[in-house]
């Protein structure tokens, strides 16, 4: 139950009754009416802007309309107090019994608490990672992989139908460079002294096994053959090998895609030609000359006629080239075809997770999606900023397979996939992230991974002690939902229940905003509330979770503890992180 959505529906129902009674004009548009937590907890439990947004169409002063609504809301059985604040906001305080019932909701649902149908099964395609298949992934790719994977899981939980996709950029010049680099390693495997890797080729040792495999399979067949003969073969073999390595690295991070789409396949299948023909038929492709770029001119810029897409009609700053000087399609042209392909596969909502270095590409791609889908498709791009690897607060370099950068696999091997996944979500995707190898393994409040996992482990420890103390007692979720939960009246207990009851709203709002990092913030705050209650019980014996001589209150508190464990596990499942049973 999203209690805020529930109260919004109640407010809309009250407005409908007031309209029917002639106390408000008919036909008020309630689309902008909200019910949400007040900015300050001391103001109450639920706040609504209904009087503020409806006063003008209702022909009333905001506070007069607020007073009318407050009188009706005050009669609600869950409401203990109503306050009209400021220019006309309405704050509600809810009964302790209402919160006890919300705790029972958590206990009955278990880890499924927060599951929602807000997405109504809408199909959404989340494309993430999509690293060029030219080598192992680095820690920057790790962030995009985690953000995309967690976002897909969050959308799943909120009731969307999600496809997780990887776009293989295997049609550009970089894969020809990969093929030439693999051919060099092939010659090396045949016993040739290749010397220093020529500039422009990929130097990493990760290509040695590729060359060795080709030598073992084909012998000297390609050693003296012209490039035109071996290039396609080496390109296909090397791309397949790199994608195998990438899949292994993603698996180590706990990431698995549903769909892999090949750029080369789109080109070979004529889908790029078809997409550009589609735009041309609508008058959105023309031959023209672009204005020179602002600022200093690049050395290779020349005012030449080009095939251009009318991107400015759809919100972009300038029109965009579709063909290179050699007549081949630009990356942009292939990307248009790719997004049209996703749309035609049944995904009107597309989310792409890119590196921050692609920021200048966002407007043109969104313009292209609007154009090629006839305004029927929507593209949201999440840009992931750099990750700074530190050790003890200082920049740090690990041993590297790639020769020039820290790999994703190095990072996972150093601290574990769960730590990597959680830390990557402790900042919004477009904020820089410091990943300190020492801090992420600290057992302190400053380490959010430990702090949240410790709350779950503490919860499970309490449940084990209870099972030992009362072995005959049923402490399952369903049984504890029937415990005397209304005996939980201490402000710290109620604060924790309110935090738990906020999880469904958090799931829906974070999914709607495409912001999985909100889950990390929520889990940290929930853990803080639980640790605070734990510490209060150490100081005040009456608030201990287990009081042998008062079984009823102990069962009620066990319900609260079990609910905390369930919601933390629910949140960690969105992150793809395994909750721990005990800290070691």
């Amino acid at each position: 139950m999203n209690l805020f959505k529930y109260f919004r529906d109640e407010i809309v129902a009250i407005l409908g009754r007031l309209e029917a009674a002639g106390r408000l004009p008919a036909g008020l548009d309630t689309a902008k009416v909200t019910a949400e937590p007040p900015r300050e907890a001391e103001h109450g439990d639920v706040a609504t802007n209904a009087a503020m947004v409806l006063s003008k169409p209702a022909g009333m002063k905001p506070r007069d309309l607020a007073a009318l609504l407050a009188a009706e809301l005050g009669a609600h059985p869950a409401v203990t107090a109503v306050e009209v604040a400021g220019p006309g906001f309405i704050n509600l305080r809810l009964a302790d019994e209402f919160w006890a019932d919300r705790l029972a909701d958590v206990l009955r649902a278990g880890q499924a608490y927060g599951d929602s149908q807000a997405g109504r099964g809408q199909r959404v395609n989340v494309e993430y990672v999509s690293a060029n298949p030219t080598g192992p992934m680095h820690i920057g790719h790790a962030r995009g992989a985690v953000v995309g994977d967690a976002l897909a899981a969050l959308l799943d939980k909120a009731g969307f139908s999600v496809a997780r996709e990887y776009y293989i950029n295997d049609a550009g010049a970089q894969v020809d460079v990969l093929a030439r680099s693999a051919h060099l390693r092939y010659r090396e495997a045949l016993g040739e002294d290749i010397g220093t890797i020529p500039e422009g080729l990929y130097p990493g040792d990760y290509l040695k096994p590729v060359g060795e495999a080709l030598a073992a399979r084909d012998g000297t067949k390609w050693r003296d053959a012209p490039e035109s003969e071996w290039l396609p073969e080496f390109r296909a073999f090397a791309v397949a090998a790199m994608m195998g390595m990438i899949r292994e690295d993603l698996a180590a991070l706990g990431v698995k895609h549903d769909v892999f789409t090949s750029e080369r396949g789109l080109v070979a299948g004529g889908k790029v030609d078809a997409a550009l023909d589609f735009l041309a038929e609508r008058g959105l492709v023309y031959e023209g000359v672009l204005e020179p770029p602002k600022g200093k001119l690049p050395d290779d810029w020349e005012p030449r006629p080009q095939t251009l897409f009318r991107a400015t009609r759809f919100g972009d700053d300038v029109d965009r080239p579709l063909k290179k000087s050699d007549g081949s399609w630009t990356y942009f042209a292939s990307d248009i075809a790719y997004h049209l392909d996703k749309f035609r596969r049944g995904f009107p909502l597309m989310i792409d997770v890119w590196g921050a270095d692609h920021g200048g590409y966002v407007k043109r791609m969104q313009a292209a999606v609007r154009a090629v889908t006839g305004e029927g498709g929507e593209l949201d791009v999440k840009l992931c900023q750099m990750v700074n690897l530190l050790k003890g607060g200082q920049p740090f370099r690990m041993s590297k397979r790639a020769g020039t950068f820290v790999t994703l696999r190095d990072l996972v091997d150093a601290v574990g996939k769960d730590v990597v996944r959680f830390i990557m979500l402790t900042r919004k995707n477009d904020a820089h992230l410091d990943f300190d190898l020492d801090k992420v393994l600290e057992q302190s409040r400053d380490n959010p991974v430990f702090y949240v996992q410790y709350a779950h482990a503490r919860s499970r420890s309490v449940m084990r002690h209870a099972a030992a103390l009362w072995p005959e007692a049923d402490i399952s979720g369903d049984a504890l939902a029937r415990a005397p939960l209304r005996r939980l009246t201490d402000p710290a207990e109620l604060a924790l229940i309110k935090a738990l009851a906020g999880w469904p709203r958090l799931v829906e709002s974070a999914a709607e905003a495409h912001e999985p990092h909100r889950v990390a913030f929520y889990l940290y705050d929930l853990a803080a509330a639980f640790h605070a209650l734990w510490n209060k019980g150490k100081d005040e014996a009456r608030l201990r979770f287990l009081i042998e001589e008062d079984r009823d209150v102990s069962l009620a508190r066990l319900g609260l503890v079990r609910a905390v464990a369930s919601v933390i596990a629910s949140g960690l499942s969105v992150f793809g992180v395994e909750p721990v049973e005990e800290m070691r």
Side-chain angles (χ1 to χ4, degrees), residues 171-192:
Q174 80 280 354
V175 291
D176 288 342
V177 174
L178 175 69
R180 295 184 184 104
S181 304
H183 187 264
L184 189 69
R185 294 298 189 178
Y186 160 76
R187 286 159 43 203
E188 181 182 39
L190 292 175
E192 182 178 335

Side-chain angles (χ1 to χ4, degrees), residues 324-466:
K324 302 176 186 176
S325 57
D326 63 3
S328 63
W329 294 121
T330 60
Y331 287 117
F332 179 52
S334 296
D335 285 344
I336 293 174
Y338 171 51
H339 285 82
L340 176 59
D341 182 64
K342 287 195 281 190
F343 179 74
R344 288 179 171 171
R345 281 188 271 133
F347 297 104
L349 176 56
M350 296 167 262
I351 304 172
D352 292 357
V353 181
W354 298 347
D357 56 335
H358 288 74
Y361 202 67
V362 174
K363 287 182 72 173
R364 76 185 70 177
M365 203 62 246
Q366 289 176 330
V369 167
R370 286 194 290 272
V372 82
T373 65
E375 302 282 358
E378 177 187 351
L379 173 64
D380 182 23
V381 178
K382 313 305 288 185
L383 295 175
C384 292
Q385 279 289 352
M386 293 288 294
V387 179
N388 302 312
L389 188 65
L390 308 173
K391 187 174 178 62
Q394 300 299 315
F396 182 70
R397 291 187 175 277
M398 303 167 75
S399 60
K400 302 173 281 295
R401 287 184 292 164
T404 57
F405 55 80
V406 179
T407 68
L408 178 156
R409 194 58 173 269
D410 286 334
L411 191 62
V412 172
D413 289 347
V415 298
K417 80 171 182 66
D418 285 355
V419 170
V420 173
R421 291 183 69 106
F422 197 108
I423 292 296
M424 291 294 177
L425 293 159
T426 54
R427 295 287 185 275
K428 191 176 180 182
N429 56 276
D430 58 3
H432 285 277
L433 176 69
D434 288 339
F435 195 108
D436 193 308
L437 292 166
D438 290 338
K439 280 192 172 296
V440 301
L441 298 176
E442 279 182 2
Q443 294 194 353
S444 74
R445 180 173 182 155
D446 294 333
N447 177 7
V449 185
F450 167 78
Y451 198 59
V452 171
Q453 289 280 32
Y454 190 31
H456 186 272
R458 273 182 159 176
S459 301
R460 300 303 299 159
S461 174
V462 172
M463 300 306 295
R464 289 193 295 271
H465 284 130

Side-chain angles (χ1 to χ4, degrees), residues 270-287 307-314 316 319-323 329-341 343-344 361 364-377:
K271 292 188 176 182
V272 178
D273 292 314
L276 275 297
D277 287 345
F278 180 84
L279 291 176
E281 289 167 4
R282 285 152 182 77
L284 298 174
V285 176
Y286 70 102
E287 296 295 317
T307 302
L308 302 171
F309 162 58
R310 296 187 188 277
T312 50
R313 284 195 186 177
F314 300 90
D316 200 2
D319 291 341
R320 302 293 181 175
L322 297 171
K323 283 189 176 181
W329 294 121
T330 60
Y331 287 117
F332 179 52
S334 296
D335 285 344
I336 293 174
Y338 171 51
H339 285 82
L340 176 59
D341 182 64
F343 179 74
R344 288 179 171 171
Y361 202 67
R364 76 185 70 177
M365 203 62 246
Q366 289 176 330
V369 167
R370 286 194 290 272
V372 82
T373 65
E375 302 282 358

Side-chain angles (χ1 to χ4, degrees), residues 11-44:
I11 291 163
V12 170
I14 288 170
L15 290 165
R17 292 196 294 271
L18 290 172
E19 287 184 23
R23 301 178 70 186
L24 287 175
L28 291 176
D29 183 358
T30 60
K32 294 183 179 179
V33 171
T34 62
E36 54 192 12
R39 290 186 178 180
E40 303 294 335
E42 58 266 26
H43 292 168

Side-chain angles (χ1 to χ4, degrees), residues 216-232:
R217 190 191 73 177
D218 297 339
T220 60
K221 177 179 179 180
W222 308 109
R223 184 174 57 190
D224 300 317
E227 181 180 287
S228 59
E229 292 183 10
W230 58 253
L231 186 67

